[in-house]
Amino acid sequence: MDLFLTQARANCLANRRLLAAVGSLSDADFHAPRTSFFPSLALTLNHILNVDHYYIAALHGDAAMRHIWARYVPARTASELATRQDESDQRLIAFCATLRAGDEDRIVAFDRGAGLEAGPREPLGRVLAHLFMHQTHHRGQAHAMLAGTAVKPPQLDDFILLGDSVHRGRDMAVLGWQEPV
């Protein structure tokens, strides 16, 4: 279960680094049209957060998950988005910190518009794996879009391997985290 917690923390650190870089753009650059599935940094990064809210609600068994998705109000600035994403990431980390052996097989129900009873049901381990993959996929798109600006895209994969700890020390210190012993 430590792997899920490690991934949740790595996810948070990658989001913080990326959003710090995006935060140095002007609002116009944040919203500027770019080439991607969601054609701006603002749209791509808001999509990540909206999906996070939906999946985290599902992981918690929140029957309002569909309404959380539908009522999402996009962040208008990179700063607002960074704050909201960090809150979401902290909620995911807290969830993963409570997991115990066997929880990966627990079934998570989703409401995709027809209610929880009619929606898909997936093992928790697969839901988390999908959520982390979704984040990585769209962060990669945002990273590529950022490369088309005056801001250098940050390194986003220094957060899991023990040998990369020298590259994440400051990131972890800000959050009061320690490397595993």
Side-chain angles (χ1 to χ4, degrees):
M1 301 319 297
D2 287 345
L3 179 58
F4 291 131
L5 180 57
T6 298
Q7 288 180 297
R9 285 181 162 190
N11 184 66
C12 173
L13 292 169
N15 283 333
R16 289 173 67 94
R17 264 196 201 169
L18 179 61
L19 291 167
V22 169
S24 65
L25 295 171
S26 68
D27 285 344
D29 282 337
F30 179 57
H31 290 279
R34 302 189 188 282
T35 302
S36 191
F37 186 79
F38 297 99
S40 75
L41 283 160
L43 290 171
T44 300
L45 296 169
N46 271 292
H47 170 73
I48 291 172
L49 182 57
N50 193 13
V51 169
D52 281 4
H53 286 170
Y54 174 78
Y55 274 83
I56 293 168
L59 289 165
H60 283 279
D62 187 340
M65 70 185 77
R66 181 76 182 145
H67 301 291
I68 290 168
W69 167 266
R71 294 181 183 142
Y72 179 79
V73 176
R76 298 188 49 78
T77 66
S79 175
E80 176 192 352
L81 183 67
T83 298
R84 289 170 57 188
Q85 183 66 62
D86 196 59
E87 290 167 357
S88 179
D89 290 343
Q90 294 304 323
R91 188 168 183 223
L92 182 58
I93 289 166
F95 177 84
C96 289
T98 68
L99 295 175
R100 299 294 173 254
D103 284 346
E104 68 275 11
D105 296 324
R106 190 170 74 218
I107 298 301
V108 177
F110 289 90
D111 180 355
R112 297 260 167 96
L116 284 174
E117 300 77 26
R121 304 173 99 59
E122 297 284 346
L124 182 142
R126 288 182 178 261
V127 172
L128 285 171
H130 174 77
L131 182 56
F132 295 132
M133 183 176 284
H134 179 268
Q135 278 260 350
T136 301
H137 169 70
H138 287 296
R139 260 196 317 265
Q141 291 175 338
H143 195 266
M145 286 188 267
L146 191 59
T149 72
V151 175
K152 180 181 177 186
Q155 188 69 28
L156 298 178
D157 62 352
D158 292 334
F159 305 117
I160 294 179
L161 296 176
L162 294 174
D164 286 336
S165 63
V166 66
H167 303 295
R168 64 178 171 263
R170 282 184 299 193
D171 300 281
M172 291 182 65
V174 167
L175 294 167
W177 295 348
Q178 303 289 319
E179 288 290 337
V181 288

